[in-house]
Amino acid sequence: MKILMVCLGNICRSPLAEGIMKTMLPGNFFVDSAGTISMHEGEHPDKRAIKTAANHHIDISNQKSRPITKADFDTFDKIYCMDIEVYEDVISKAQNEEQHQKVSLFLSASGNYKNAEVPDPYWGDMKDFEDVFQLLNRGCEEIKNQILSANTF
Ligand code: 4NP
């Protein structure tokens, strides 16, 4: 099973989500991340995201930003979007119903209906990055439980 985490720049939220999810799922799962813009293509995650992950013993420093591609809709089984703008952008790139079905809002998929969006910490400070980490950690735990209990992979 292959899981793709998507945010805007692929340097803050989705790299954290990728790093967290990789620590939770067994090795036969493939987890990657991408952005909807290519502005930061080839860059490593934001230093504050790297530091926040490192504070939780997760190394995301080797990741590199890349934009989502058409091929991702075939490659991945599930595509989780960090906010509504990202979700709408990703949905607009889906080419058929099967691809459309793979896409969901990360927090709604994890059962957190109170918050629809993982807030963008890019313009914030380290506290914002830590809050995002906690939100992602809880969401990943829920999604991991769903995936493993579905027991179809
Ligand atoms: P991300 O955060 O989508 O969580 O990676 C952002 C990164 C860069 C920009 C915006 C959000 N930017 O405008 O460059």
Side-chain angles (χ1 to χ4, degrees):
M1 177 160 188
K2 298 187 172 73
I3 294 166
L4 186 66
M5 303 292 189
V6 188
C7 63
L8 188 67
N10 192 211
I11 55 169
C12 299
R13 293 165 293 177
S14 59
L16 283 168
E18 176 189 335
I20 293 167
M21 207 52 157
K22 276 179 172 160
T23 68
M24 290 186 180
L25 288 171
N28 55 329
F29 286 82
F30 180 71
V31 186
D32 195 10
S33 64
T36 53
I37 59 172
S38 54
M39 189 179 181
H40 298 279
E41 188 167 4
E43 292 176 21
H44 293 292
D46 186 286
K47 284 190 171 57
R48 296 163 297 173
I50 292 175
K51 175 78 177 111
T52 301
N55 288 344
H56 296 275
H57 314 289
I58 298 174
D59 183 5
I60 63 167
S61 63
N62 287 326
Q63 290 185 31
K64 278 193 184 155
S65 173
R66 70 168 182 90
I68 190 167
T69 65
K70 274 186 183 170
D72 288 326
F73 289 87
D74 292 322
T75 305
F76 290 90
D77 302 294
K78 291 186 182 293
I79 300 174
Y80 295 106
C81 302
M82 295 295 139
D83 65 33
I84 292 165
E85 184 190 342
V86 167
Y87 175 81
E88 287 178 349
D89 203 351
V90 171
I91 281 288
S92 75
K93 296 180 204 295
Q95 292 185 303
N96 54 49
E97 188 55 28
E98 192 193 344
Q99 293 188 351
H100 191 124
Q101 290 298 327
K102 294 179 176 184
V103 186
S104 55
L105 260 177
F106 175 87
L107 285 182
S108 305
S110 72
N112 185 341
Y113 299 109
K114 208 169 71 187
N115 313 80
E117 310 196 284
V118 179
D120 188 349
Y122 185 65
W123 306 104
D125 58 20
M126 282 302 286
K127 165 84 166 63
D128 297 305
F129 276 82
E130 176 60 23
D131 289 349
V132 161
F133 182 95
Q134 295 299 336
L135 201 53
L136 291 171
N137 200 42
R138 283 195 294 275
C140 284
E141 180 75 28
E142 283 302 322
I143 288 171
K144 174 207 74 174
N145 289 339
Q146 284 170 20
I147 289 172
L148 295 183
S149 67
N151 209 18
T152 47
F153 297 97

